[in-house]
Amino acid sequence: MKKILVTYNMFREGFNELENKYQVHFPTNQNFTYNEILEKIHEYDALCPMFNFPVTQELIDKGLNLQIIANYAVGYDNIDVIHAKDKGIVVTNTPDPVINPTANLALLLLLDTARRVSEYDRKLRTGRIKINVSENLGLPVTGKTLGIIGMGRIGKALCKRARACGMEVLYHNRHQLDLNEETKWGAIYVTKDQLLEQADFVSLNAPYTSETHHIISEPELKRMKKTAILINTARGALVDENALIKALQEKEIYGAGLDVFEFDDYPSNELLQMDNVVLTPHIGTQTTLTRIEMAKAVCNNIIGFFENDRPITRIY
């Protein structure tokens, strides 16, 4: 019987099918440490790393029987995928369950930052605001332009939501969509510079790679409108956080809505002090149903790989 090792003991109902087919080993407590996995991995045919658990070259080399790494996430920068490929190990991810909740969060951050919802909430609770019809004004959304960098599944889902809000949508992607898709989504392809110069809101929905590291840094921020808002629900290191802090302090852009951060997955102190920044702690997929669906997607990948009875979302 195949042996499966899961790094966290959570959302067990999503793993039911896997447990019915194979020998699945969860930690007794909430999670295995890296060293515990390192000691055990040689016994297992499949590994499910959850919540950015690092799958290093060292760990892969210890996996003498390892055939598949089924990541519990859409991103996979926690895995040395090149080394896994060299070892003949398949790597999969879970893109489908994360599409709608992440797109919803991106739109939420956009609306919240533009209309200053969280800021007003804080000020009302502490008595720091008075209602005045000529002050405390936010920015409109309807009739404005959203620029999406990364027109993959989440980018397209966000585009659909933005269009429903009456927004125009520009996008920049590694490859331009074909005309039928552009017509379907109602989005216009532009260069990155054109997008930054024209968009009222810029949303980052690209994967993190060496090419997209600091895709938004000081030069890009200077190209944006002074009334523009930056939204990032993808990966923190897409943005040079120090450059963003400077741009916000110097009012080079209006604000930011951030679910991810460059340093240790936690915002810099300067961001915490800013009223024009809305912050959430990487909650793009943080609903119970989404997390269970992600577990089911992991199961589908592992079972589909071993049984060849269903499609899998294979990275390599």
Side-chain angles (χ1 to χ4, degrees):
M1 180 180 286
K2 301 295 184 184
K3 298 181 68 176
I4 319 298
L5 185 59
V6 184
T7 62
Y8 272 73
N9 187 9
M10 300 180 74
F11 312 109
R12 290 288 289 270
E13 56 266 60
F15 289 97
N16 283 342
E17 186 180 7
L18 198 67
E19 291 190 85
N20 289 334
K21 283 182 174 290
Y22 307 125
Q23 182 179 338
V24 185
H25 189 185
F26 294 89
T28 303
N29 297 316
Q30 188 176 53
N31 62 281
F32 285 122
T33 67
Y34 177 82
N35 286 335
E36 286 173 331
I37 295 290
L38 197 63
E39 292 175 1
K40 297 174 182 293
I41 192 63
H42 66 279
E43 304 175 21
Y44 290 89
D45 303 287
L47 173 67
C48 170
M50 297 177 69
F51 303 113
N52 292 324
F53 184 93
V55 184
T56 63
Q57 179 175 335
E58 175 189 37
L59 190 64
I60 291 168
D61 286 341
K62 291 279 189 177
L64 301 179
N65 297 315
L66 196 59
Q67 299 176 58
I68 179 172
I69 301 167
N71 206 34
Y72 181 93
V74 63
Y76 45 88
D77 48 295
N78 59 309
I79 301 170
D80 188 333
V81 291
I82 300 302
H83 192 63
K85 182 182 179 183
D86 290 343
K87 289 283 188 175
I89 298 170
V90 168
V91 181
T92 62
N93 65 345
T94 60
D96 290 343
V98 311
I99 295 170
N100 288 322
T102 305
N104 288 342
L105 181 65
L107 180 62
L108 182 153
L109 289 171
L110 185 157
L111 294 169
D112 190 326
T113 311
R115 297 301 306 273
R116 302 171 64 182
V117 176
S118 292
E119 176 190 349
Y120 294 160
D121 179 81
R122 288 190 300 271
K123 289 180 176 179
L124 278 171
R125 291 172 188 273
T126 56
R128 291 187 293 138
I129 192 171
K130 293 182 179 181
I131 304 301
N132 187 311
V133 294
S134 62
E135 298 177 355
N136 308 312
L137 302 177
L139 296 178
V141 172
T142 301
K144 295 299 181 179
T145 298
L146 170 64
I148 297 175
I149 297 179
M151 197 65 162
R153 302 180 194 194
I154 295 172
K156 290 172 184 174
L158 176 59
C159 175
K160 179 180 179 180
R161 287 155 173 76
R163 296 285 292 161
C165 290
M167 303 182 76
E168 299 297 322
V169 178
L170 306 176
Y171 78 96
H172 181 72
N173 203 45
R174 185 169 52 178
H175 303 293
Q176 184 175 355
L177 304 179
D178 64 37
L179 181 59
N180 289 335
E181 277 206 282
E182 286 189 341
T183 302
K184 173 184 176 180
W185 298 109
I188 299 171
Y189 178 81
V190 292
T191 66
K192 187 176 81 167
D193 286 348
Q194 289 172 327
L195 183 149
L196 294 170
E197 292 165 359
Q198 297 176 35
D200 300 294
F201 303 87
V202 175
S203 178
L204 303 181
N205 300 100
Y208 178 70
T209 67
S210 58
E211 294 178 355
T212 59
H213 178 78
H214 284 187
I215 195 171
I216 299 294
S217 58
E218 186 171 357
E220 288 78 20
L221 290 161
K222 287 183 179 297
R223 283 189 177 275
M224 293 171 63
K225 296 180 179 181
K226 290 188 179 298
T227 54
I229 289 173
L230 178 69
I231 306 297
N232 188 8
T233 55
R235 286 290 184 268
L238 296 180
V239 179
D240 180 340
E241 196 162 296
N242 289 324
L244 175 61
I245 290 167
K246 180 182 176 184
L248 290 164
Q249 288 173 334
E250 297 180 359
K251 302 188 184 306
E252 291 178 352
I253 64 172
Y254 181 86
L258 307 173
D259 185 51
V260 288
F261 313 99
E262 183 174 7
F263 307 111
D264 298 323
D265 212 20
Y266 194 79
S268 301
N269 286 332
E270 292 90 342
L271 291 174
L272 293 170
Q273 307 305 315
M274 295 180 181
D275 278 331
N276 59 337
V277 179
V278 178
L279 306 168
T280 53
H282 203 169
I283 61 169
T285 62
Q286 203 159 318
T287 72
T288 302
L289 180 60
T290 300
R291 292 291 170 84
I292 292 171
E293 290 301 314
M294 289 172 67
K296 290 179 179 178
V298 167
C299 295
N300 282 331
N301 282 329
I302 294 174
I303 296 168
F305 173 74
F306 286 128
E307 310 296 334
N308 197 29
D309 63 350
R310 65 197 73 182
I312 67 174
T313 52
R314 180 171 176 158
I315 299 165
Y316 283 115

